[in-house]
Amino acid sequence: MFFYTIKRLAIAVPTFIAVLLITFTLTVISPFDPVAMMMTQFEGTLDTLAKEEVIERIRDQYGLNDSYWVQFTRWLGRLMQGDLGISINGQRNVLRMIVKTFPISFQLGLAGAVVTTILGIPLGCIAALRQNTWLDYTIVGGTLGFRTVPVFVLAPLLLVLFVLVLDIMRVPRGWDGLFQSKVILPVFILALGPLPVVVRQTRAAVLEVFSMDYVRTAKMKGLHMWRIILRHILRNALIPVVTTLGFIAEGLIVGSIFLDSIFAIPGFGGVAEAGFRGFDYPVIMGVTMVSAVMIILTNLIVDLIYPFLDPRIKIE
Amino acid sequence: MSESTEKLSNGSLGEQLAGESALRTRSLWKDAVGRLLRNRLSIIGLIITLFLLISALFGPYIAPYSYTEQDLLNVAKMPSPDHWLGTDEIGRDLFSRVLWGARTATLVAIFTTFISVIIGVIIGAIAGYGGALADNITGRIIDIVMSVPGLLLAALIAVSIKEPVVTWAENIYDASGFPLFADTTWLDLLVVFGGLAFVSWPGYARLIRGQIFSLREEQYIEAAKSVGVSELKIALRHLLPNAIGPVIVTLTFSFSSAMVLESSLSYLGIGVQPPQASWGNMIASNIGSWSYRPWLVAVPALTLAIVTLGINFLGDGLNDALNPRSKRSI
């Protein structure tokens, strides 16, 4: 187990470093000048004569005149100390921006993951037990349909439907903690994204387990159907569903980018969206790295707990 | 038919086998079309996809107005006989803009899919044929690309390469005076292609690699090898026709996901810039006013939803039609 963990880590760490390298290289490649962008905000307030000097000083201060590797290693060093830089728009500490908003998004994401699981596993079971009937097609096709429709399409359409047409709710805006009725719609929309992955995985797993000898034995013993499902099928079918956790994490992160501004939730996704809209490199880099860490970590956790769930997986 | 008879008379057993497979492939396609047309959902998908392609090709000629033309007396109006789907916040005809948006979305989807298939097939083939080391290296690269959410990476790339691409085009224009480079609107598209292609090739690479590895184990490949058919011929004659089914299915699905990614980027203000019409930027510029001008958001949103659903129905139908054995499994 120890060597297995080391091996997994040995894969995860270089992957993350490669992600860092890609992120950093991309921002260096672009001749886009953050200082010039910053200057436009102070247009008119600066003495035109001193402007070039000020720009040069800021460039030095940010180390933008150094070579690529110097910049990269310095950036990496700062990263180790938890310094993600200062945002260009508004001069705020990027790490603090993320740390402040992350818990909100994490709660929402967790709620979304729970809803996905609660909806997805029964739906997948039903689809498998009614294989190749209209019910199966509806569940698989319907959930797939929702996945392909992006959040920024689904959210306004559902808002129009629920608030304007059906008039059954007030406009859900803001964040007052997880246990408020206004988080229902955002969480539901978040949960729909990764839902088809869970449904399909559960469905396939149940179908596979269904043909096993021990299920036939249980049937022959005259056990009740629901008991067979709970005791024998679900237990074994749920193992492969764990592998979808990475997809779920990615779906939740991407979903929150669009969701936060629509529902005025002060979350991680909102920081990302503002970063992209404002071409705010430190923010974009910070957000990309944190997302990559989340996904790599999730996959690592899946890899590490999988041998416990399925002892047939041999640990080398 | 004449081609295959010629092949049969040609002698070697390998050639004969190859000729046989060409004959069988044709009937497989006929079968597949039959199966596709029997499925009601995929017919709907096919119709929606055809509609999209027609609007993309002829939209600008069908559209009653241009995508920039403003009717300042009718700003943000509900649908009317003059403006079938109403007008937007600065008086542009929504129906016309949706049609122009269809062209944007289709263009991006076609090019992105094309580029990423080429990259994916090359990398997949390297992984499949290049031995264990090549397989390992490409596998790691794919893992790295896939560990960042596709949208974030595409957005990051689009943001970063935008300036270089624009300066590059300006330089070419200055040097050559070629009128194509005077117009910067298609540069937005180019930037989006780059970002999207970079995040969508790993899917194809994995698919091709998987196909190569799994088909290799098939007995007919072994049979072809044992009668001395060359590797290249096996790849072209046996692997390719057998792998093409899953590739077509993936093509369809990634066509719609490229569309979604394009509108996502445009929604975030990175992709296609206004006044160019993209369903994504149309949604973005009106999302703040969804509660009092709902049609401005609902029209592009519904269009995007219907189109992606339709293409996915078609993809599902194709999956059933082309892989009849793996009916509705993952």
Side-chain angles (χ1 to χ4, degrees):
Chain A
M1 189 62 210
F2 176 71
F3 284 107
Y4 178 76
T5 314
I6 296 288
K7 202 176 152 194
R8 286 288 127 195
L9 272 173
I11 292 175
V13 171
T15 308
F16 181 60
I17 291 175
V19 170
L20 290 184
L21 205 60
I22 292 176
T23 321
F24 185 76
T25 311
L26 278 173
T27 51
V28 168
I29 279 178
S30 72
F32 174 87
D33 193 349
V35 179
M37 181 125 192
M38 223 159 81
M39 295 317 284
T40 58
Q41 295 174 0
F42 303 110
E43 201 74 67
T45 58
L46 271 176
D47 188 347
T48 31
L49 281 175
K51 199 171 170 184
E52 290 300 312
E53 250 173 67
V54 174
I55 288 179
E56 222 21 61
R57 214 165 65 218
I58 296 174
R59 291 191 69 84
D60 271 341
Q61 202 181 331
Y62 277 76
L64 291 170
N65 292 331
D66 297 331
S67 75
Y68 172 80
W69 286 109
V70 172
Q71 285 194 47
F72 181 68
T73 42
R74 185 173 49 218
W75 179 71
L76 211 59
R78 286 214 199 109
L79 212 62
M80 295 295 178
Q81 298 161 25
D83 180 5
L84 292 182
I86 307 288
S87 79
I88 293 170
N89 305 327
Q91 306 280 310
R92 291 168 63 201
N93 185 320
V94 175
L95 184 71
R96 208 171 296 154
M97 283 164 83
I98 292 175
V99 166
K100 220 166 117 186
T101 52
F102 195 77
I104 298 174
S105 291
F106 191 73
Q107 289 176 49
L108 276 177
L110 217 55
V114 169
V115 173
T116 303
T117 324
I118 290 177
L119 286 177
I121 288 170
L123 283 176
C125 281
I126 295 169
L129 296 175
R130 295 273 176 275
Q131 191 194 5
N132 294 335
T133 63
W134 65 270
L135 196 61
D136 179 24
Y137 296 150
T138 316
I139 290 173
V140 175
T143 50
L144 184 77
F146 276 119
R147 175 194 164 84
T148 55
V149 179
V151 165
F152 62 89
V153 167
L154 202 58
L157 287 181
L158 288 182
L159 279 174
V160 170
L161 178 70
F162 288 140
V163 180
L164 296 182
V165 180
L166 299 176
D167 198 16
I168 51 170
M169 61 162 75
R170 279 186 298 159
V171 185
R173 286 184 73 79
W175 171 257
D176 298 320
L178 190 57
F179 300 100
Q180 297 286 326
S181 60
K182 61 176 140 188
V183 301
I184 294 175
L185 196 59
V187 165
F188 181 67
I189 292 172
L190 266 185
L192 283 180
L195 186 63
V197 183
V198 179
V199 168
R200 290 202 156 196
Q201 191 72 278
T202 311
R203 184 181 171 280
V206 169
L207 281 179
E208 203 194 321
V209 176
F210 209 66
S211 57
M212 293 282 171
D213 284 343
Y214 57 82
V215 174
R216 207 185 313 151
T217 313
K219 270 191 223 161
M220 283 197 298
K221 271 172 31 183
L223 284 183
H224 279 294
M225 201 57 206
W226 60 268
R227 202 163 177 174
I228 299 176
I229 292 171
L230 282 181
R231 269 282 175 83
H232 298 281
I233 296 178
L234 260 189
R235 256 195 198 181
N236 291 299
L238 285 190
I239 298 170
V241 178
V242 174
T243 52
T244 61
L245 269 174
F247 286 102
I248 295 180
E250 177 169 350
L252 296 175
I253 292 170
V254 171
S256 82
I257 293 176
F258 299 103
L259 213 60
D260 286 359
S261 70
I262 296 174
F263 290 98
I265 296 166
F268 175 72
V271 173
E273 195 193 339
F276 280 118
R277 285 195 189 283
F279 288 78
D280 198 332
Y281 278 107
V283 177
I284 296 175
M285 285 162 93
V287 166
T288 310
M289 283 180 302
V290 172
S291 312
V293 168
M294 291 306 291
I295 291 173
I296 292 171
L297 264 185
T298 317
N299 286 330
L300 184 68
I301 291 170
V302 169
D303 280 349
L304 290 183
I305 60 174
Y306 209 76
F308 288 107
L309 297 176
D310 189 351
R312 285 171 305 178
I313 305 279
K314 279 218 181 90
I315 300 169
E316 287 143 28
Chain B
M1 191 59 207
S2 63
E3 188 194 311
S4 53
T5 31
E6 196 188 298
K7 285 276 148 64
L8 282 174
S9 61
N10 212 340
S12 105
L13 187 57
E15 297 281 5
Q16 280 189 28
L17 284 171
E20 289 280 344
S21 99
L23 269 179
R24 284 225 327 267
T25 321
R26 226 171 289 153
S27 68
L28 179 82
W29 286 112
K30 216 178 266 172
D31 268 12
V33 171
R35 270 194 296 270
L36 185 70
L37 295 181
R38 269 202 296 279
N39 185 338
R40 237 171 278 153
L41 271 184
S42 53
I43 295 270
I44 296 174
L46 198 62
I47 292 171
I48 293 173
T49 313
L50 284 178
F51 250 100
L52 173 79
L53 293 179
I54 290 170
S55 345
L57 269 176
F58 304 110
Y61 308 104
I62 306 169
Y65 303 88
S66 127
Y67 63 91
T68 46
E69 190 180 333
Q70 287 172 270
D71 183 351
L72 292 172
L73 294 174
N74 289 305
V75 171
K77 281 288 184 320
M78 297 274 280
S80 64
D82 271 353
H83 301 281
W84 292 356
L85 294 174
T87 55
D88 69 2
E89 77 284 3
I90 52 172
R92 293 174 299 193
D93 183 54
L94 208 56
F95 177 60
S96 308
R97 282 182 65 76
V98 166
L99 282 178
W100 281 92
R103 173 168 273 201
T104 309
T106 313
L107 215 63
V108 171
I110 287 176
F111 271 90
T112 313
T113 314
F114 185 69
I115 299 169
S116 49
V117 163
I118 290 177
I119 304 176
V121 167
I122 291 171
I123 305 247
I126 291 174
Y129 283 115
L133 183 68
D135 187 24
N136 253 324
I137 293 173
T138 50
R140 298 257 47 87
I141 295 174
I142 291 172
D143 277 355
I144 291 163
V145 175
M146 283 187 138
S147 65
V148 184
L151 177 72
L152 277 175
L153 192 57
L156 187 62
I157 292 170
V159 165
S160 308
I161 65 173
K162 181 148 201 156
E163 285 279 319
V165 167
V166 169
T167 29
W168 168 75
E170 274 168 1
N171 287 339
I172 291 183
Y173 180 63
D174 288 345
S176 66
F178 206 47
L180 180 69
F181 293 95
D183 181 24
T184 54
T185 47
W186 65 273
L187 290 179
D188 288 338
L189 293 178
L190 201 67
V191 168
V192 176
F193 296 153
L196 294 191
F198 190 84
V199 296
S200 21
W201 65 264
Y204 290 105
R206 276 203 175 158
L207 178 75
I208 297 291
R209 177 191 170 277
Q211 288 289 325
I212 291 173
F213 274 94
S214 73
L215 288 176
R216 247 190 211 160
E217 308 293 316
E218 297 281 342
Q219 285 186 342
Y220 55 83
I221 304 281
E222 222 170 289
K225 256 186 210 158
S226 61
V227 292
V229 183
S230 73
E231 276 283 334
L232 185 69
K233 208 158 213 173
I234 289 178
L236 292 179
R237 274 284 166 77
H238 298 283
L239 281 176
L240 200 67
N242 280 295
I244 207 133
V247 169
I248 288 178
V249 174
T250 316
L251 269 177
T252 330
F253 284 123
S254 69
F255 192 82
S256 76
S257 70
M259 249 174 201
V260 169
L261 276 175
E262 178 270 315
S263 42
S264 306
L265 288 184
S266 303
Y267 177 89
L268 291 176
I270 300 162
V272 179
Q273 302 295 324
Q276 285 291 315
S278 150
W279 297 333
N281 70 31
M282 287 166 76
I283 298 171
S285 56
N286 294 304
I287 198 143
S289 56
W290 68 266
S291 54
Y292 47 98
R293 291 169 196 155
W295 74 95
L296 286 185
V297 180
V299 167
L302 273 177
T303 314
L304 183 56
I306 291 170
V307 167
T308 45
L309 272 182
I311 296 173
N312 280 301
F313 284 153
L314 181 64
D316 252 6
L318 281 172
N319 194 18
D320 293 347
L322 292 172
N323 313 319
R325 267 174 301 178
S326 66
K327 191 161 168 49
R328 289 217 165 252
S329 62
I330 295 189

